[in-house]
Structure formats: C-alpha cells, structure tokens
Amino acid sequence: MRCRNCREKAVIHMPAHKLALCGSCYISWFEGYTERTIQKFNMLKPGEQILVAVSGGKDSLALWQVLTRLGVNTTALYIHLGIAQKEYSDTSLAKARAFEERLNSSLIVIDVAKELGMSVPETKRLMSRKVCATCGLIKRYYMNKTAADGEFDAIATGHNLDDETASLLGNTMEWRLSYLKRQHPVLAERPPGLKKKVKPFCYFTEKETATYAFLTGIDYIMTECPYALHASSIEYKNVLNALEENGAGRKRRFYDHLLKAQGHLAFPEEAELNRCRICNQPTTLSVCSFCNISKKIREIKDKKPSAISRQHSAVAEV
Ligand code: Q46
Ligand code: ZN
C-alpha cells in the first residue's frame, strides 16, 4: 500500500479515515489532527499554561511532545503511585524523567507514599473498594491541586478513543448518567477551583498513538500497570475492537453520537461544589474523600482505631 500524499511505502493504514500514510506524512498528519481536534472543541486558548498528566506510557508522553511541538506552554506532572510489582512506578518515572530531558521541558513529581504516608497499593487494606478506585481518586486530587497551586489554566490527559469508548460502553451498560453527562473532550473549569480538563487525543485509537510514539522514537513503558489486568475496561476494549474490525469507524461514531446526544438528553443536575474544610480543594462533601483517606492513614499510623465512618465517595471530583 502506498502513502496517499507522497506515494512512498505506507506504514499505517487507517480504514476509519480511509487513509494510508508513510512515516513522515503520518507524523505531520497526527500532529495536525491533534491541532484540529483542539480547535474543534475549543480546548485551549493562546498563552494558556497547561499541566500535562504523564504516566510514562505512550499516550501521555506523545501528548506532551505534540503539545510542545504545537507551541503550547506545557509542564508535566508525574504521580508516583508506589506500585512495586514489576517495578512499575520506578520504571515509568524513569521514562518520564528521560523524556523531560529530551523535550527540555519540566516535570513535577508527586510521590504518593511520601505525601500520604502510604503507597496506592497499601491503601487496599484501608478501603472497601478496589485499588483502581482509590488510585483514580488520588490522581484526580493531585492533578487538580497541582494545577490550582501552580495557577495552570488546564490539565491535559492522554485519553484516546479506545479509552473513551470503553468508558462510554461501561457507563452505558450501568446507565451512569452523571458520568455520561461529564464524558467530554473538554470539561470547563467549575468554581470553586475545579480546573479545566482537556483530552486532545480523544479521536486517536491506541494503534494510532502507538504508531506515532514508535515513529518519533518515544521511549515509553511498555508494561501495563499490574492492576489494569483486572480492569473491566480491557473487556470493553476487546468488544469494541471486534466491532471495529467488522465495521471501520464504529468507535468514532459511538463517541460522536454521545457528544451529540449530550445536548438533547436530560441528565440529573450536578451536585454543587464547595471547598473542603480541611484542604480547601473542591468537593461535594464538607470534607473531601481524599482528606478522609489521609485521616484514616494517619490513624492507622498512630495505631488508633478508626473513628471515621465509611463515607462513600460518591464524588467524581475530589
Ligand atoms: S494506574 Fe491506578 Fe490505573 Fe494502575 S492502579 Fe488502576 S487506576 S490501573 S489508569
Ligand atoms: Zn480535602
């Protein structure tokens, strides 16, 4: 197959885009498509300072690189979760550090074990819920807090079309209406203090970001987080890949139809946000879920019996 632009040998064929491209044409296409996605959803304004959440994986490092190449002011944030299995956290931090040097940019590192007194896997014995749920809460908390403290205008994450459609399928199967309402490539800032979030890669499949990372020589962590192996999102991704195999563009249409429907469907009103009375971060509770976790940890460390009632963190944002 030949590149549609220059007739060189194509390295990627994207049936959903009816497009085959060679390596160098693909890199330009990928970066240009990111720029068009940013414009389509009005994600960023000129001069804004963007905090890019990086995990050391292909999507987030590629996003950091593309935004930098597009002239966006970026700083990255890496949250060390303390996952020792397969040396996952240390290896992914090393990848993020090396990339910081390569981009000549800057990386903020938060070490959860140092900040909270306990790594993310260790919190399992405190919580009645899965590690990933606590992990997500902790990551959202530090992302927002770092963006707020550093006066960033937005947080950018490397979620791709496979991630977005897997969430969409999961949320639809459970009819989680409040999640469906907030699943969008750009979430505006919400007072008091919940920062804007953007997903410039929302239209790329995993294969497309992996191809971009490979062609531009990005050195990323190839192993998945050990906890991801049990995630239901993997099952959803497999189902969606099978559907895509039999009908190119299905994932994209599934996602686009959600975005269109959001304007017409009646969703429940979102709970009002206020400031957590301990940490001042936005929450729908009087004390945010993060502060509840951190109080439990302190109590365990002080060997006091837990006096905290099990507050369900029915909050999407912390
Ligand atoms: S990092 Fe954290 Fe994910 Fe690992 S522990 Fe689960 S949520 S799988 S994106
Ligand atoms: Zn708090």
Side-chain angles (χ1 to χ4, degrees), residues 81 83 88 120 131-133 135-136 139 225-228:
L81 305 166
I83 298 173
Y88 177 75
V120 166
V131 171
C132 287
C135 179
K139 285 195 291 190
C225 170
Y227 295 93

Side-chain angles (χ1 to χ4, degrees), residues 2-3 8 17 24 31 57-58 68 103 164 168 195 199 201 261 297:
R2 297 273 143 199
C3 172
E8 282 294 315
H17 292 282
S24 64
E31 292 171 358
K58 63 181 184 326
T68 306
L103 287 186
E164 291 302 296
L168 174 54
K195 286 287 174 181
K199 297 173 182 172
F201 282 1
I297 291 173

Side-chain angles (χ1 to χ4, degrees), residues 1 10-21 26 207-208:
M1 199 170 286
V11 296
I12 185 166
H13 175 224
M14 297 173 284
H17 292 282
K18 297 188 178 72
L19 188 60
L21 293 169
Y26 180 71
K207 181 184 162 195
E208 287 159 8

Side-chain angles (χ1 to χ4, degrees), residues 141 276-281 283 287-292 318:
Y141 181 86
C276 166
R277 64 181 161 77
I278 296 177
C279 71
N280 213 30
Q281 285 296 298
T283 177
V287 172
C288 75
S289 306
F290 178 88
C291 285
N292 272 314
V318 194

